[in-house]
Amino acid sequence: MTTIIIKKVKKAAHAHHGGAWKIAYADFVTAMMAFFLLMWLISMTTQEQKIGLAEYFSPAALSPATSGAGGILYGSALDTSGNKPSTPRDAERGSAEREDRARQTSPGRASDLDASRPAASVEANYSAIASLRQALQSMPDIAELSRNIVIEPTKEGVNVSLVDQDGRSMFREGSVEAYDRTRRVLEALAPAMRRLPNRLSITGYTAATRPGLGRAVEPWNLSAGRALAVREILSGAGVPNDNFASVVGRADTEPVFPDNPYLAPNRRVTITLLNASPPVPPNLLR
């Protein structure tokens, strides 16, 4: 008798593979969408907007958007606590109001003056600011001096101000002698100022003397002497004499804080990198 053996092979069900590939694919599609969106945004932005984005993502220690306690300032003056105020100082508001009145009284002439300004001046100012900030990055003690350095664009060009703070001055009290830290800052800035095409205007300012306190040095002489000292340091660091347009002292006539002219930040020396003079339109020569 023949024995027949029947083997039944029971196949186990395959394990579920899951949807991990779907997640990876979704991430890939999202990344590609973000990439093309970025390319589109870059193609739609102006040069000024690109510079602003670059400034936003610059190192925090030298960011123009940081406060006076954390980095080099940009675009406004210090307040009493060393931080940036939320509104412009009174002098800037007054200047803007005067311009508005000028446009209202003589709109044709104002538009001619606006048209005479070179279109590249704003971009050149941002480029100069970037060069100056880059020059300061190599300084090991820049974090300590960040509250004493103000870099801001103005209608005249770019201002680099060396500002006194309570407990940390840039010049010896009542003297035109600069501290070593001031000299180091100027020597770090000199190569960039030498390469830039802008001429330099240096202006010294002092704080008002409180009533009842005698003045050891005449404020006009002190402010002018400190401006001259800054010029000599820059000249000694390689800035040609032809690059200097003016060196003046304003004493205590233009405080940063008109409501409190005795504050330390009113004592400052400002180096202005002047814009190139635009050509005069022919219709204004008549």
Side-chain angles (χ1 to χ4, degrees):
M1 181 176 178
T2 303
T3 303
I4 300 175
I5 301 174
I6 300 175
K7 292 184 177 180
K8 293 183 178 180
V9 179
K10 188 176 182 180
K11 296 183 178 180
H14 292 289
H16 183 65
H17 292 290
W21 68 273
K22 298 178 182 178
I23 297 175
Y25 180 72
D27 290 342
F28 171 75
V29 172
T30 303
M32 292 300 296
M33 182 177 65
F35 173 76
F36 286 112
L37 179 61
L38 177 63
M39 294 295 100
W40 177 75
L41 289 174
I42 290 177
S43 66
M44 297 295 292
T45 54
T46 64
Q47 183 64 23
E48 294 179 19
Q49 291 171 330
K50 291 177 183 177
I51 294 174
L53 289 172
E55 296 286 354
Y56 179 81
F57 289 104
S58 60
L62 293 174
S63 172
T66 56
S67 69
I72 294 176
L73 298 184
Y74 174 92
S76 63
L78 297 164
D79 64 10
T80 55
S81 62
N83 297 321
K84 290 177 66 177
S86 57
T87 57
R89 56 179 177 263
D90 295 341
E92 293 176 349
R93 281 201 301 270
S95 176
E97 292 172 358
R98 287 193 296 271
E99 281 201 355
D100 291 340
R101 287 196 296 269
R103 287 190 176 90
Q104 293 172 2
T105 56
S106 181
R109 183 175 179 83
S111 61
D112 290 339
L113 289 173
D114 289 339
S116 68
R117 293 175 181 171
S121 62
V122 174
E123 182 178 348
N125 286 347
Y126 278 109
S127 177
I129 290 171
S131 298
L132 296 171
R133 292 174 57 238
Q134 181 68 29
L136 293 172
Q137 284 184 337
S138 60
M139 294 187 60
D141 53 351
I142 188 59
E144 298 178 4
L145 295 172
S146 60
R147 291 183 58 188
N148 298 90
I149 305 172
V150 179
I151 301 177
E152 57 183 350
T154 66
K155 294 178 182 178
E156 292 77 20
V158 175
N159 281 356
V160 181
S161 297
L162 307 179
V163 184
D164 282 4
Q165 293 292 338
D166 290 330
R168 183 179 292 272
S169 299
M170 303 304 282
F171 289 84
R172 298 188 184 277
E173 184 176 359
S175 171
V176 299
E177 183 181 355
Y179 282 110
D180 289 340
R181 53 178 172 265
T182 307
R183 187 176 297 273
R184 290 197 302 272
V185 169
L186 293 171
E187 290 174 348
L189 292 172
M193 293 181 176
R194 185 174 63 246
R195 290 191 300 268
L196 292 170
N198 311 69
R199 300 194 72 197
L200 307 179
S201 175
I202 305 176
T203 308
Y205 305 88
T206 62
T209 304
R210 294 186 181 276
L213 298 179
R215 291 178 173 177
V217 182
E218 169 63 34
W220 289 98
N221 294 337
L222 183 61
S223 59
R226 288 179 173 178
L228 283 170
V230 168
R231 181 205 173 281
E232 291 175 0
I233 294 173
L234 291 175
S235 179
V239 178
N241 290 332
D242 292 341
N243 285 24
F244 298 99
S246 64
V247 180
V248 297
R250 301 290 187 190
D252 55 0
T253 60
E254 299 179 19
V256 177
F257 304 102
D259 295 337
N260 194 346
Y262 312 112
L263 289 176
N266 291 317
R267 299 191 301 267
R268 65 202 189 278
V269 176
T270 298
I271 307 167
T272 303
L273 283 71
L274 299 171
N275 291 329
S277 299
V280 180
N283 60 328
L284 295 182
L285 296 176
R286 294 195 297 268

